[in-house]
Amino acid sequence: MTNPLQGLRVLELGQVLAGPFAGVIFADLGAEVIKLERPDGGDDARRMGPPFGASPDGVSQADALIFHVFNRGKQSVALDLKSVDGKAGFERLLASSDIFLHNLRPDVPRALGIDGPTLCARHPRLVYCEISTFGNTGPMALQPGYEPLIQAFSGLSATNGGPLDPPMRSGASLCDQGTGMWAVIGALALLQRRQQTGRGGVVSASLLETALVWNGQKMDALVNEGRQPERHRSGHPGFVPYESFDTADEPLLICCGNDRLFAKLTTALEEPDWASDVRFATNRARLEHKAALLDLLMPVLRRRSRAHWLVALEAAGVPCAPIHSLPQARAHPQVEALGMLLPVPGVAGQTPLRLTALPLSIDGQRPAHRSRAPALGAHNDLHGLPALVPAPIEFKPGDKP
């Protein structure tokens, strides 16, 4: 059964990424996810990029691809939570929901009267998930923020790259998507507790806390050993050799995570004496004499092509990998075999769409995409709410209607 959360209803009041990513995890696992959006444009992610394909209703402006990525499988209900009718509609939906999820700035829910203590008092079985930037307490709790800001603020950017590189953000949205994951984990934990107690509760997660956890090994070394992290680019502070090396043509990553693997490496390189050299015989010795070992290792690897070394090292059982471009990774047989890119159901005439699926399988099956991202307010009628009239597309001079 690839819909283990079937029967669960989630209300998501999410914008852009962290909240919607939590919502899409629930949706892919079978929950009914109702996305609540402002009537005047909805989630800002709808416009974060050029329009993809045609709009579902054929009238409004088509949404950006990123909106499809993080909102597949959901329903959309357009509500004005500042109006009397909008609040009444929200309460009706909430009464039949198991989880309420949002990534609003902390002062906004209080102003709207939908903060955790208030809603849980009215709906004791509700699991309330709040996602913020800086956390739900402290002097910066009310400040908004985005992924690169948090990577910079948390010290995560300062640990990326090499010794001479400027601080740099990760290309992936580690904090946004990671926070969405923590929110889902916390919600599932409270659902389990609810089975025993009959009561829900409040889950709080933030981008800053997620960034601190992702950098936890380095922070813990600083706190417990007073050790500032070194920057290694592709390398590792605890193992040698464990990084990228140039070959005669293209770079190759080699990972020797123990002394046995280093011995296998020396055999594959036809340099068996390195394994018995007192400077290199153990990982701690190699860490101490890293520069000397790399001075010997790098010229050897440059003598042959990457393809040659991949064959030799894989045959010897040494973990190694080419450094792929995204198209190369996409085309690799191993990536193809995993079946991570799945089609999203659509209707005749829609632009075909394939999106990366959840990185897990249940009983041997990967959860499928159930439907495309919804048009703004597409499901108002389904829930007895006034239909939203889509804004017409505005054509510029020279555009073809």
Side-chain angles (χ1 to χ4, degrees):
M1 181 178 178
T2 55
N3 294 320
L5 299 185
Q6 187 172 353
L8 202 68
R9 172 175 278 189
V10 179
L11 283 190
E12 176 212 304
L13 187 55
Q15 278 273 359
V16 183
L17 217 163
F21 185 62
V24 90
I25 294 173
F26 283 122
D28 278 359
L29 291 175
E32 178 191 20
V33 179
I34 303 172
K35 184 178 182 70
L36 304 178
E37 301 188 73
R38 302 186 320 271
D40 57 339
D43 188 339
D44 291 336
R46 291 183 180 272
R47 295 167 298 283
M48 285 180 60
F52 176 81
S55 64
D57 53 40
V59 179
S60 58
Q61 178 68 54
D63 298 312
L65 179 60
I66 191 172
F67 183 78
H68 290 274
V69 171
F70 293 108
N71 293 282
R72 61 185 184 262
K74 301 177 185 178
Q75 302 172 19
S76 173
V77 167
L79 278 181
D80 179 5
L81 289 177
K82 296 180 180 179
S83 71
V84 174
D85 289 342
K87 288 180 179 178
F90 174 73
E91 282 295 325
R92 287 200 306 272
L93 289 170
L94 198 65
S96 60
S97 296
D98 299 283
I99 297 169
F100 175 58
L101 164 71
H102 74 77
N103 62 332
L104 301 169
R105 198 172 63 188
D107 56 337
V108 174
R110 288 196 290 271
L112 293 173
I114 59 171
D115 56 280
T118 298
L119 290 191
C120 288
R122 291 205 299 269
H123 306 277
R125 290 179 55 81
L126 181 68
V127 173
Y128 184 103
C129 295
E130 56 185 10
I131 293 174
S132 63
T133 302
F134 289 95
N136 64 348
T137 188
M140 299 180 68
L142 299 185
Q143 291 196 25
Y146 292 94
E147 175 79 29
L149 184 152
I150 284 297
Q151 289 198 24
F153 183 89
S154 66
L156 199 59
S157 294
T159 59
N160 286 339
L164 301 180
D165 294 327
M168 58 184 68
R169 67 162 287 184
S170 166
S173 295
L174 302 175
C175 304
D176 268 318
Q177 292 182 254
T179 306
M181 291 171 58
W182 291 119
V184 172
I185 292 169
L188 295 178
L190 280 191
L191 286 176
Q192 172 64 17
R193 189 183 74 177
R194 190 179 75 175
Q195 286 189 323
Q196 302 163 356
T197 66
R199 300 185 67 85
V202 179
V203 175
S204 300
S206 73
L207 274 66
L208 178 56
E209 290 166 283
T210 297
L212 294 173
V213 165
W214 292 161
N215 229 14
Q217 294 181 46
K218 296 176 176 61
M219 182 70 80
D220 294 346
L222 175 66
V223 171
N224 292 287
E225 299 176 339
R227 181 161 48 90
Q228 283 270 26
E230 298 177 8
R231 303 175 73 198
H232 297 271
R233 284 201 179 176
S234 61
H236 192 283
F239 299 114
V240 175
Y242 202 99
E243 59 191 275
S244 171
F245 297 95
D246 289 332
T247 67
D249 50 11
E250 298 176 285
L252 173 68
L253 193 77
I254 298 174
C255 296
C256 292
N258 56 51
D259 298 334
R260 299 182 301 280
L261 291 173
F262 178 69
K264 291 179 179 180
L265 174 67
T266 62
T267 300
L269 299 178
E270 299 180 354
E271 299 286 351
D273 292 345
W274 294 355
S276 57
D277 189 317
V278 67
R279 296 173 299 168
F280 313 137
T282 66
N283 185 61
R284 285 182 174 174
R286 292 193 296 278
L287 286 168
E288 186 176 350
H289 300 283
K290 179 178 180 178
L293 175 58
L294 296 190
D295 284 344
L296 295 172
L297 179 59
M298 289 191 291
V300 173
L301 290 169
R302 289 196 190 102
R303 293 173 191 164
R304 304 285 185 86
S305 69
R306 181 170 75 180
H308 170 85
W309 290 124
L310 280 170
V311 171
L313 297 183
E314 287 175 0
V318 177
C320 59
I323 298 176
H324 280 149
S325 66
L326 192 59
Q328 288 172 328
R330 161 69 185 86
H332 195 279
Q334 178 60 32
V335 175
E336 285 281 358
L338 290 173
M340 287 285 290
L341 279 165
L342 297 180
V344 185
V347 298
Q350 280 187 318
T351 305
L353 180 62
R354 288 201 300 165
L355 297 177
T356 304
L358 292 185
L360 56 85
S361 297
I362 297 173
D363 296 330
Q365 283 190 289
R366 190 176 304 285
H369 303 315
R370 296 189 293 159
S371 64
R372 295 196 170 210
L376 177 61
H379 299 88
N380 278 37
D381 287 348
L382 180 64
H383 298 285
L385 297 164
L388 181 71
V389 178
I393 300 175
E394 296 181 2
F395 292 104
K396 298 177 183 177
D399 287 348
K400 293 183 179 180

